[in-house]
Amino acid sequence: MIKIDEPYSLRLGSSTGISPYKVKVERRLSDLSGYFLDKMLVQEMLSMGENPVIYEVYELPQPPVSGMLNVGSTVIYPGKIGDEYYFTKGHFHEKESTSEVYIGLEGEGLILIQDRRGEITSLEIGPDVLVYIPPDTAHRSVNTGSRRLVFFAAYPSDAGHDYESIERTGFAKVVVERDGKPVVENNPSFHE
Ligand code: PAN
Ligand code: ZN
């Protein structure tokens, strides 16, 4: 068992991305119903009792104390709602000075990183790729492949998650399938 404040090692990979873990969060379509472009399709699916798991997060959290790090992994399943690939909600950190590092373990995808002015960068993630997320940027992960996308994350344990700010405006770009390939396009419902 891993104890707070003591050195530990853990294993990367396997079905949960990190093992052991302490907390598992599951996000289904119903948790993300306002997030996808095709809201009619989402309502139709949910009313038919279709509520797929979009992603899971496995975490080894520490107390929210400056200087400590949370580590975790995210597993995004392959799939689309209409043309739009499955993604995470996305968030800013409440403590704006905090940054984060993702390391790809399995599959392929894109990380959308957006600053407060709505300037957005998309970076590829996959096995052995490290993505640095600077302070005060919203970040969302998108699975553009046909298999699970799994990545490791480490961030300050006192960072906190602010989902509301980015939920209000949306991300400036969406990742959709065009002719069988992922394409990053302007989000028609983005508003500053
Ligand atoms: C990640 C994310 C994880 C799930 O651990 O929390 O990928 O995405 P949402 O939190 O946006 O649902 C992270 O960035 N932590 O700070
Ligand atoms: Zn984060």
Side-chain angles (χ1 to χ4, degrees):
M1 199 60 197
I2 289 172
K3 292 209 190 98
I4 286 165
D5 265 356
E6 289 189 10
Y8 67 79
S9 67
L10 56 71
R11 197 153 287 282
L12 298 177
S14 79
S15 64
T16 56
I18 59 166
S19 50
Y21 66 88
K22 274 193 184 146
V23 180
K24 175 184 176 180
V25 178
E26 189 181 77
R27 298 277 184 226
R28 288 180 175 268
L29 183 59
S30 54
D31 301 310
L32 289 148
S33 59
Y35 284 79
F36 288 99
L37 279 177
D38 195 342
K39 295 190 176 48
M40 290 249 289
L41 176 58
V42 171
Q43 286 321 315
E44 212 173 281
M45 288 175 71
L46 293 174
S47 69
M48 305 278 280
E50 250 186 277
N51 190 14
V53 176
I54 310 289
Y55 62 100
E56 292 156 356
V57 183
Y58 298 89
E59 287 224 307
L60 253 181
Q62 298 281 24
V65 170
S66 171
M68 294 187 123
L69 289 176
N70 284 353
V71 302
S73 65
T74 302
V75 176
I76 310 180
Y77 288 93
K80 284 175 293 160
I81 301 297
D83 297 325
E84 203 175 12
Y85 295 96
Y86 283 7
F87 53 58
T88 59
K89 287 183 171 188
H91 58 267
F92 285 94
H93 293 160
E94 273 167 18
K95 189 172 172 185
E96 294 164 358
S97 60
T98 55
S99 52
E100 183 158 5
V101 159
Y102 288 174
I103 297 171
L105 300 174
E106 221 183 287
E108 53 193 298
L110 291 174
I111 312 296
L112 302 179
I113 301 172
Q114 179 165 313
D115 69 18
R116 294 281 177 185
R117 294 171 305 150
E119 290 295 314
I120 196 164
T121 307
S122 73
L123 296 172
E124 286 183 10
I125 194 158
D128 303 326
V129 174
L130 183 151
V131 172
Y132 172 69
I133 299 162
D136 209 18
T137 55
H139 35 289
R140 161 175 288 168
S141 317
V142 186
N143 184 349
T144 55
S146 52
R147 296 170 299 138
R148 306 185 328 156
L149 170 65
V150 186
F151 60 88
F152 167 86
Y155 61 100
S157 62
D158 61 345
H161 292 94
D162 163 20
Y163 291 96
E164 285 73 30
S165 303
I166 194 69
E167 194 181 354
R168 251 192 326 268
T169 63
F171 281 83
K173 304 273 182 184
V174 292
V175 187
V176 289
E177 187 182 76
R178 299 282 179 244
D179 300 321
K181 291 203 184 79
V183 174
V184 180
E185 290 183 354
N186 287 334
N187 178 1
S189 31
F190 175 63
H191 51 90
E192 283 175 81

